[in-house]
Amino acid sequence: MKIIKAMNYEEMSQLAADRVIDRVRSHPHFTLGLATGATPLGLYNKLVGDHQKNGTSYQGVVTFNLDEYIGLPPNHPNSYHYYMNQHLFDHIDIEEKNIHLPDGTAENLVKECIFYEKQIRQAGGIRLQILGIGQNGHIGFNEPGTSPDSRTHVVRLTESTRKANSHYFKSMEEVPACAITMGLATIIESEEIILLASGEHKSSTIDKLIHGDVHHQFPASLLKTHPNVTVIADQAALKMARAPRVY
Ligand code: PGA
């Protein structure tokens, strides 16, 4: 696991954007795994800026998002589909047919999970996956205790995750109880992974990721078994990490 220390959120976002742009430009038919949440907003902002200024094209790019809430349709302002449209897809030249998020309104959720996995396989797997990290070590919505062998599946969100996401909703009651998430095995099969972390509230999590053992109660630790993972974290997120090998 390579650790890159960024000065601040801005630099973290720029470093991640540079890598995404570089890979998209050198492989026009590229499969990109995407994340939601507060952390990748700066990255998406920079991808949009670069598309507008330098014309980086996403016409041949296929995307798969990590997760989606169950019960929220794509046009619901709190759905991850809506977030992606608003922050990225509506501002670049990606083709609608190449955008994939799990369908949280599918009648048969088990079938939807199997279908999502099939689509990823048919696209040849994910070349570059962007990840955030929850304070409890979750990646996607793979909460502590998730099996490393898990594929796309339905999860019941922990109270801490619902609480962490509740400020996007009018009230805690409105935060969906369940979601569909790519599994840990699906994520770990990506060719390259970039995990982003910003802010002091992530510093003990990042310390645990860097120095702790691989353990199923801390899902992100599985990334330590992957040959091509880069953690790009800002100074605040690295505050507690004892002498990480930084680049
Ligand atoms: P955040 O969420 O980017 O909003 O901190 C990260 C996550 O929960 O994976």
Side-chain angles (χ1 to χ4, degrees):
M1 210 166 59
K2 184 172 164 180
I3 318 291
I4 296 180
K5 185 177 188 171
M7 249 165 358
N8 49 32
Y9 181 75
E10 165 79 16
E11 194 186 34
M12 177 203 77
S13 305
Q14 189 62 59
L15 290 168
D18 289 347
R19 183 64 184 154
V20 172
I21 293 162
D22 188 47
R23 294 220 60 192
V24 166
R25 279 183 171 263
S26 38
H27 306 271
H29 296 281
F30 194 71
T31 309
L32 189 57
L34 297 172
T36 50
T39 312
L41 285 172
L43 160 64
Y44 298 148
N45 186 265
K46 296 206 178 287
L47 295 183
V48 170
D50 163 75
H51 169 73
Q52 286 165 352
K53 187 160 167 252
N54 306 316
T56 302
S57 176
Y58 293 81
Q59 259 172 15
V61 173
V62 174
T63 62
F64 287 93
N65 264 78
L66 285 169
D67 42 24
E68 179 60 285
Y69 288 118
I70 286 177
L72 302 191
N75 61 357
H76 189 289
N78 286 122
S79 76
Y80 286 158
H81 207 133
Y82 188 94
Y83 166 111
M84 289 307 304
N85 286 341
Q86 194 186 18
H87 297 295
L88 183 66
F89 299 147
D90 283 352
H91 312 289
I92 57 174
D93 62 343
I94 192 163
E95 294 201 36
E96 180 113 31
K97 67 174 173 56
N98 290 338
I99 294 170
H100 303 87
L101 283 97
D103 179 1
T105 61
E107 227 164 82
N108 187 328
L109 293 168
V110 174
K111 266 196 185 157
E112 172 61 18
C113 293
I114 295 168
F115 180 57
Y116 203 63
E117 282 289 324
K118 193 173 153 197
Q119 287 178 303
I120 295 173
R121 248 192 337 270
Q122 280 172 348
I126 292 164
R127 303 288 294 269
L128 171 60
Q129 175 68 54
I130 303 296
L131 295 178
I133 185 168
Q135 281 173 278
N136 63 4
H138 76 206
I139 48 176
F141 272 136
N142 292 290
E143 301 283 27
T146 306
S147 164
D149 299 326
S150 55
R151 293 282 163 187
T152 301
H153 62 289
V154 171
V155 285
R156 177 164 286 280
L157 302 176
T158 60
E159 278 316 287
S160 69
T161 296
R162 290 185 70 230
K163 205 165 163 207
N165 292 355
S166 64
H167 59 276
Y168 296 108
F169 294 82
K170 282 196 206 95
S171 67
M172 182 73 183
E173 290 68 51
E174 280 188 25
V175 185
C178 298
I180 295 181
T181 183
M182 258 188 219
L184 290 173
T186 323
I187 293 171
I188 216 78
E189 272 174 15
S190 310
E191 186 184 291
E192 175 181 357
I193 297 172
I194 293 179
L195 183 141
L196 301 175
S198 169
E200 213 174 318
H201 64 299
K202 295 286 172 77
S203 63
S204 64
T205 308
I206 293 299
D207 179 50
K208 202 166 164 186
L209 173 64
I210 294 172
H211 298 289
D213 295 330
V214 177
H215 196 282
H216 67 284
Q217 285 303 338
F218 191 74
S221 64
L222 195 65
L223 298 173
K224 297 177 115 165
T225 65
H226 189 286
N228 192 0
V229 174
T230 306
V231 175
I232 308 180
D234 63 12
Q235 284 193 51
L238 281 169
K239 200 174 153 188
M240 280 176 68
R242 293 148 279 159
R245 218 170 107 238
V246 292
Y247 290 78

